[in-house]
């Protein structure tokens, strides 16, 4: 598990099919930075898949140059090139007559690895994508669920440790919950592997979640905007991009910011074993009661505090809290549930601050202003 | 003399004829399979080519076997050559058609993935597409074999090998002592051998079709 991603560069790449007036891909230029995930997103038929398939030359460009890690892809033997570029597609495209292990071991086999090394690698890959080799190695694809098939597809693409990975709607055919899991796992893998990944999807939310950068493509694969997800959410280049970003762009932007990145507010706090009469709320309306290990347990009002003899059962319990790792969207959800401020806790569940709606709206304003 | 006595009495000759019959049919099926799969591979990507190959093979099948032999005998003479050519021609249709259908039925996503991960065009064909089309091809060979078992009987008219000579001489000497026994032995022999061969196909299917695609 060593090879890190390398840069992909497309220069004035055009694809024109015989007998068609308009080019399928028209003068496409882009640099995909090494070790990053770039998501091509756009409507069906916009040429995003065609563009991706030119990188491993499943489709030959009519003109233009493509370099992978500085090497001219058009000068490499196409079969060799494809063995060095991982490829995962919708519905996995697994070979139904091969077992899971045989499917994953194909590219190492093509590269002439010996049996032992291939077998070890297959086990390693299955562990990596969370399939127990003992249970799944001998199964055939039809004996797997859709999500498991996709995992095998990803494992097969990664088996020869290619620096570059092309993924064509790899999670398009699975249910939303499984898709979410697979996306999380891809992010986890990418954290370790740092491959250069070109990912094609028509799902903008998926693009926001996975992309280091997003390329929003229009007809003939023209680049409408190529930027980080937050830049596109906060500041779509034109109406078409804005339309694609869709409703709720501000809410989507909130998934990009973590609670730890914003300034937290503070509530008046008191330990549950403190004497109520010693607590001074001052101008504040609410008291946050903490347990012995500083974990937030209850909210109480000034009136409740005045009448109470002990803080242990005062007011109402804290329903929902968020951690420093949560997104602002989660925090917003907690605020709605709590009917006001969200409590933020640290790694051991201890109180570290609060977050209110003003902070969230400020963040949205700021994202807009910055990009 | 009843049929069983007749078979026991002529066992040496009959068993040789039976062996030659099966041998001719199996060899011709294998030859037709090689030829038919090659034709199928050559045309399956082109709808026009596929239609043409299927139509030609169908046309051959509509020629009565007697007529085909009559056409071949002047060119290739009497004997094994003519028999082999006739049998191979008849076996082509089911094999060509099933090869085309089988290859056409391979999920394009699977072929695309095979190309995409770096298999050569030849590798995709032999390791993926033909492997996936194999159950269909095998089914075509099975049909061809059953058909050839019957047609090989007629081939005795061209002095071909096999049980056909029993049937023909039985018919030619109708009314004589053993004519009925001869015709019956030849016919029943062909039926029994055909059933045995069919059993062999079941075994071949079991051992050569991946569990991942077996129905």
């Amino acid at each position: 598990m060593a090879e890190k991603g390398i840069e992909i560069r497309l220069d004035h790449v055009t694809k024109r099919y015989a007998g068609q007036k308009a080019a399928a891909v028209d003068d496409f230029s882009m640099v995909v930075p090494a070790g990053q995930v770039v998501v091509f997103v756009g409507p069906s038929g916009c040429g995003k898949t065609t563009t991706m398939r030119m990188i491993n030359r499943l489709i030959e460009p009519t003109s233009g140059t493509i370099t992978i890690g500085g090497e001219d892809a058009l000068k490499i033997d196409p079969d060799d090139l494809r063995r060095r570029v991982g490829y995962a597609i919708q519905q996995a495209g697994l070979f139904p007559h091969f077992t899971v292990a045989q499917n994953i071991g194909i590219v190492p086999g093509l590269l002439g690895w010996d049996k032992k090394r291939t077998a070890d690698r297959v086990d390693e890959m299955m562990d990596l994508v969370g399939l127990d080799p003992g249970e799944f190695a001998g199964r055939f694809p039809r004996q797997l669920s859709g999500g498991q098939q996709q995992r095998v597809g990803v494992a097969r693409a990664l088996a020869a440790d290619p620096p570059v990975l092309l993924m064509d709607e790899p999670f398009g055919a699975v249910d939303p919950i499984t898709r979410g899991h697979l996306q999380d796992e891809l992010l986890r893998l990418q954290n370790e592997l740092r491959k250069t990944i070109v990912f094609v999807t028509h799902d903008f939310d998926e693009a926001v979640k996975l992309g280091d950068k997003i390329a929003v493509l229009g007809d003939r694969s023209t680049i409408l905007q190529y930027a980080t997800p937050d830049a596109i959410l906060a500041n779509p280049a034109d109406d078409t991009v804005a339309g694609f970003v869709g409703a709720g762009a501000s809410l989507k932007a909130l998934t990009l910011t973590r609670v730890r990145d914003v300034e937290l507010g503070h509530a008046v706090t008191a330990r549950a074993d403190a004497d109520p009469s010693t607590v001074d709320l001052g101008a504040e309306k609410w008291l946050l009661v903490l347990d012995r290990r500083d974990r937030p347990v209850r909210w109480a009002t000034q009136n409740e505090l005045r009448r109470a003899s002990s803080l242990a059962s005062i007011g109402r319990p804290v329903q929902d809290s968020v951690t420093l790792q949560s997104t602002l969207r989660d925090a917003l959800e907690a605020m709605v549930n709590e009917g006001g401020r969200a409590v933020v806790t640290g790694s051991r569940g201890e109180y570290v601050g609060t977050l209110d709606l003003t902070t969230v709206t400020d963040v949205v304003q700021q994202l807009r202003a910055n990009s | 003399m009843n049929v069983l006595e007749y078979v026991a009495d002529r066992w040496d000759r009959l068993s040789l004829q039976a062996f030659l019959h099966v041998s001719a049919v199996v060899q011709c099926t294998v030859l037709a399979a090689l030829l038919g799969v090659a034709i199928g591979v050559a045309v399956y990507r082109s709808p026009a080519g596929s239609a043409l190959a299927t139509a030609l093979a169908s046309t051959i099948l509509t020629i009565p076997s007697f007529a085909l032999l009559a056409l071949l005998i002047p060119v290739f003479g009497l004997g094994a050559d003519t028999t082999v050519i006739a049998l191979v021609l008849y076996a082509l249709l089911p094999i060509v058609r099933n090869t085309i259908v089988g290859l056409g039925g391979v999920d394009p996503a699977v072929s695309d993935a095979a190309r995409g991960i770096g298999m050569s065009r030849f590798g995709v064909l032999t390791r993926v597409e033909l492997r996936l089309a194999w159950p269909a091809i095998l089914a075509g060979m099975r049909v061809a074999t059953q058909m050839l078992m019957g047609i090989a009987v007629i081939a005795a008219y061209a002095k071909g090998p096999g049980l056909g000579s029993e049937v023909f001489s039985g018919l030619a000497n109708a009314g004589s002592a053993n004519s009925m026994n001869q015709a019956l032995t030849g016919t029943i022999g062909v039926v029994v051998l055909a059933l045995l061969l069919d059993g062999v196909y079941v075994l071949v299917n079991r051992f050569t079709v991946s569990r991942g695609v077996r129905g």
Side-chain angles (χ1 to χ4, degrees):
Chain A
M1 220 62 264
E3 190 130 23
K4 297 265 189 280
I6 50 180
E7 185 185 83
I8 305 171
R9 193 178 278 272
L10 296 101
D11 262 320
H12 301 289
V13 173
T14 296
K15 177 65 191 180
R16 205 178 283 282
Y17 286 106
Q20 281 181 14
K21 224 166 156 196
V25 174
D26 197 9
D27 197 32
F28 186 94
S29 296
M30 172 182 283
V31 175
V32 179
Q36 298 216 338
V37 181
V38 168
V39 182
F40 291 180
V41 62
S44 304
C46 72
K48 54 190 191 295
T49 295
T50 306
T51 307
M52 191 199 78
R53 286 163 70 92
M54 283 195 282
I55 296 173
N56 68 354
R57 289 175 66 194
L58 280 172
I59 295 174
E60 294 285 347
T62 312
S63 63
T65 58
I66 298 171
T67 60
I68 299 178
E71 207 178 342
D72 187 345
L74 301 177
K75 293 214 170 76
I76 309 173
D77 173 73
D79 291 336
D80 281 343
L81 172 70
R82 291 182 203 127
R83 286 168 202 175
R84 286 152 52 182
V85 175
Y87 185 59
I89 60 173
Q90 185 166 0
Q91 290 175 328
L94 298 180
F95 304 129
H97 58 307
F98 285 175
T99 62
V100 167
Q102 286 171 327
N103 266 289
I104 299 174
I106 284 182
V107 186
L110 289 171
L111 290 169
W113 293 18
D114 63 51
K115 282 214 168 77
K116 173 87 178 67
R117 186 176 169 209
T118 303
D120 289 348
R121 183 66 180 172
V122 167
D123 281 359
E124 189 187 341
M125 284 299 106
M126 292 188 68
D127 282 333
L128 189 72
V129 297
L131 292 173
D132 174 24
E135 190 183 348
F136 290 99
R139 288 209 198 173
F140 287 95
R142 68 171 181 185
Q143 298 165 315
L144 305 178
S145 70
Q148 289 165 340
Q149 290 186 11
Q150 290 301 345
R151 280 163 213 252
V152 177
V154 172
R156 182 175 68 181
L158 285 169
D161 200 16
V164 171
L165 205 54
L166 305 180
M167 309 186 88
D168 188 2
E169 303 211 23
F171 310 141
V174 292
D175 63 88
I177 294 173
T178 310
R179 187 182 314 151
H181 288 312
L182 290 168
Q183 289 166 346
D184 290 342
E185 264 171 62
L186 181 66
L187 286 174
R188 176 180 63 79
L189 284 179
Q190 174 62 358
N191 240 333
E192 276 174 48
L193 306 177
R194 293 278 151 218
K195 305 285 184 190
T196 305
I197 299 179
V198 176
F199 192 106
V200 167
T201 182
H202 59 258
D203 177 356
F204 192 77
D205 293 336
E206 184 168 64
V208 169
K209 183 167 177 185
L210 296 177
D212 291 311
K213 288 180 97 174
I214 297 177
V216 184
L217 304 181
D219 277 349
R220 301 187 309 285
S221 209
T222 45
I223 302 173
L224 301 178
Q225 190 167 10
Y226 181 41
T228 57
D230 39 355
I232 292 181
L233 283 171
N235 214 346
D238 59 26
D239 289 349
T240 320
V241 177
F244 211 80
V245 168
S250 301
L251 282 180
K252 284 172 192 166
L254 290 180
T255 63
L256 296 166
T257 312
R258 306 272 163 185
V259 171
R260 60 169 182 268
D261 300 329
V262 300
E263 206 175 320
L264 299 178
H266 285 283
V268 177
T269 62
R271 288 285 184 84
D273 52 8
D275 181 350
S277 60
T278 64
V279 177
D280 179 17
L281 275 183
E284 287 281 338
K285 287 199 186 91
W286 290 88
L287 169 71
L288 181 62
V289 181
L290 310 178
D291 69 5
R292 266 178 304 164
R293 292 164 63 191
D294 280 339
R295 291 178 301 199
V297 282
R298 305 187 82 80
W299 285 109
T301 61
Q302 186 117 41
N303 282 337
E304 285 162 341
L305 178 64
R306 235 179 271 137
R307 289 198 303 266
S309 55
S310 149
L311 292 180
S313 55
I314 194 175
R316 62 178 176 79
V318 172
Q319 307 271 4
D320 200 355
S321 65
V322 293
T323 69
L324 288 169
Q325 274 72 46
S326 303
T327 64
L328 284 195
R329 193 173 179 155
D330 298 333
L332 192 63
E333 168 105 18
M335 280 175 219
V336 173
N337 289 343
E338 280 288 305
R341 275 188 288 187
V343 182
V344 182
T345 57
S347 54
R348 287 173 293 106
E350 81 282 12
Y351 165 82
V352 291
T354 61
L355 203 57
D356 57 19
L357 196 59
T358 333
T359 320
V360 175
T361 49
D362 284 351
V363 167
V364 173
Q365 306 284 338
Q366 219 170 352
L367 280 173
R368 275 184 191 220
N370 285 353
S371 43
Chain B
M1 199 185 262
N2 66 22
V3 176
L4 289 179
E5 287 162 352
Y6 176 82
V7 171
D9 191 49
R10 310 278 201 289
W11 180 249
D12 283 351
R13 195 189 68 203
L14 287 174
S15 57
L16 178 66
Q17 282 175 336
F19 170 76
L20 290 176
H21 198 97
V22 168
S23 160
V25 167
V26 169
Q27 291 186 53
C28 289
T29 308
V30 170
L31 210 58
L34 293 175
L35 205 61
V37 170
I39 294 171
V41 166
V43 301
Y44 83 101
R45 283 180 181 279
S46 130
S50 301
L52 185 69
T54 313
L56 274 180
S58 310
T59 312
I60 296 173
L61 203 63
T62 59
I63 305 173
S65 37
F66 254 121
L68 184 65
L69 288 168
L71 288 172
L72 290 174
I73 289 170
V75 188
F76 299 99
L78 293 172
D81 288 356
T82 302
T83 308
V84 168
I85 292 168
L87 292 187
V88 168
L89 284 176
Y90 280 121
L92 277 181
L93 173 68
I95 296 174
V96 169
R97 195 185 47 203
N98 278 28
T99 305
I100 292 171
V101 169
L103 288 173
V106 175
D107 183 355
V110 171
S111 303
D112 178 63
R115 292 288 286 154
I117 63 174
M119 274 195 194
S120 63
R121 188 70 211 101
F122 184 73
V124 175
L125 185 66
T126 54
R127 293 184 63 190
V128 178
E129 292 176 329
L130 281 176
R131 288 285 304 277
L132 292 174
W134 177 241
I137 296 171
L138 200 62
M141 289 173 67
R142 190 170 173 177
V143 171
T145 302
Q146 297 304 315
M147 218 164 64
L148 292 195
M149 286 303 285
I151 294 174
V153 171
I154 312 292
Y157 177 73
K159 296 277 175 273
L163 288 168
S165 54
E166 279 306 294
V167 178
F168 271 93
S169 73
L171 291 178
N173 306 321
S176 69
N178 273 324
S179 63
M180 193 59 179
N181 283 339
Q182 280 192 306
L184 268 180
T185 310
T187 312
I188 295 171
V190 166
V191 171
V192 171
L193 292 174
L195 289 174
L196 285 176
L197 274 182
D198 215 43
V200 172
Y201 270 101
V202 173
L203 289 178
V204 171
N205 187 66
R206 182 143 287 274
F207 287 113
T208 59
V209 175
S210 157
R211 273 197 298 127
V213 291
R214 212 181 288 153

